């Protein structure tokens, strides 16, 4: 009898705990910190080629070219991402960061610039209104962005940085 009671209580506790998600602030803090860790690791080996770029796409992602040779559309399920590749910018470029910092400073929820061995990157979360956020991960002249609600932002930021860090431009 005690075993069944203990098993029932354990099962109910597990259900209650699994229903508790991370808060928006926790997701943003974890996502930005984890994206910085990804930036500091060796870039992933490319597993896709499109146009003049090679890149790594995590499982579940697809990519399409657009009319603009610098922009690509990434998809994972219902989520859409924009991959912008400025082939004229080097690995140490701060252009995207400085433009966003100057034009969107009032909407920045969290940002984390990072420099490593001559490479510059950053992660930024912007308030987009109505519980939506713009997530940005950038490395040199490469920027991945999406609009997200308050779900799985931490996971998205990590995957976005994996993609941004992996892009290799054929010159």
């Amino acid at each position: 009898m005690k075993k069944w009671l203990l098993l029932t209580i354990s099962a109910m506790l597990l259900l209650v705990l699994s229903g508790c998600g991370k808060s928006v602030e926790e997701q943003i803090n974890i996502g930005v910190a984890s994206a910085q860790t990804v930036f500091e690791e060796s870039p992933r080996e490319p597993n896709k080629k499109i146009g003049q770029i090679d890149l790594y796409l995590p499982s579940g992602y697809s990519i399409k070219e657009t009319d603009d040779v610098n922009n690509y559309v990434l998809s994972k399920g219902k989520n859409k991402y924009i991959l912008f590749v400025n082939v004229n910018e080097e690995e140490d470029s701060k252009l995207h960061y400085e433009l966003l910092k100057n034009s969107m400073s009032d909407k920045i929820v969290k940002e984390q610039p990072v420099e490593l061995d001559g490479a510059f990157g950053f992660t930024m979360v912007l308030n987009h209104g109505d519980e939506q956020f713009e997530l940005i991960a950038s490395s040199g002249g490469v920027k991945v962005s999406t609009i997200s609600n308050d779900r799985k932002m931490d996971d998205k930021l990590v995957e976005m940085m994996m993609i941004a860090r992996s892009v290799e431009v054929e010159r």
Side-chain angles (χ1 to χ4, degrees):
M1 184 70 162
K2 287 183 181 181
K3 286 183 182 178
W4 285 107
L5 181 60
L6 184 60
L7 186 60
T8 303
I9 291 172
S10 297
M12 290 191 320
L13 184 60
L14 184 62
L15 285 173
V16 168
L17 290 176
S18 66
C20 297
K22 295 176 224 159
S23 72
V24 169
E25 187 175 335
E26 286 175 312
Q27 289 181 64
I28 290 170
N29 289 333
I30 290 168
V32 168
S34 299
Q36 178 178 349
T37 300
V38 169
F39 184 90
E40 293 170 347
E41 296 172 350
S42 296
R44 300 285 174 115
E45 285 295 316
N47 60 5
K48 271 294 192 223
K49 178 177 178 48
I50 187 165
Q52 63 180 354
I53 65 168
D54 295 318
L55 74 158
Y56 170 78
L57 287 182
S59 179
Y61 280 82
S62 63
I63 187 169
K64 287 190 324 188
E65 288 185 77
T66 65
D67 293 336
D68 182 346
V69 296
N70 295 323
N71 287 304
Y72 302 87
V73 176
L74 304 174
S75 301
K76 182 179 181 183
K78 295 178 182 178
N79 298 307
K80 301 281 186 214
Y81 303 80
I82 300 297
L83 170 65
F84 175 77
V85 181
N86 185 339
V87 298
N88 299 314
E89 294 297 318
E90 297 297 326
E91 209 177 0
D92 63 349
S93 174
K94 296 179 180 178
L95 179 66
H96 295 303
Y97 180 70
E98 290 169 354
L99 287 172
L100 284 167
K101 188 92 168 134
N102 291 331
S103 66
M104 301 294 230
S105 62
D106 60 327
K107 294 186 177 198
I108 296 173
V109 176
K110 184 147 183 110
E111 64 178 296
Q112 182 62 57
V114 60
E115 291 185 69
L116 178 71
D117 299 330
F120 177 80
F122 69 93
T123 309
M124 190 176 285
V125 178
L126 303 171
N127 188 341
H128 208 267
D130 295 330
E131 295 185 32
Q132 288 192 325
F133 300 89
E134 183 173 357
L135 309 179
I136 301 165
S138 180
S139 177
V142 177
K143 180 177 80 169
V144 182
S145 61
T146 190
I147 303 298
S148 180
N149 57 16
D150 60 358
R151 293 180 176 204
K152 299 186 180 184
M153 291 190 295
D154 48 349
D155 296 336
K156 291 175 185 176
L157 285 167
V158 167
E159 291 175 344
M160 290 165 62
M161 185 58 82
M162 281 181 195
I163 294 166
R165 281 291 283 160
S166 74
V167 172
E168 296 174 4
V169 178
E170 293 179 10
R171 298 187 189 264

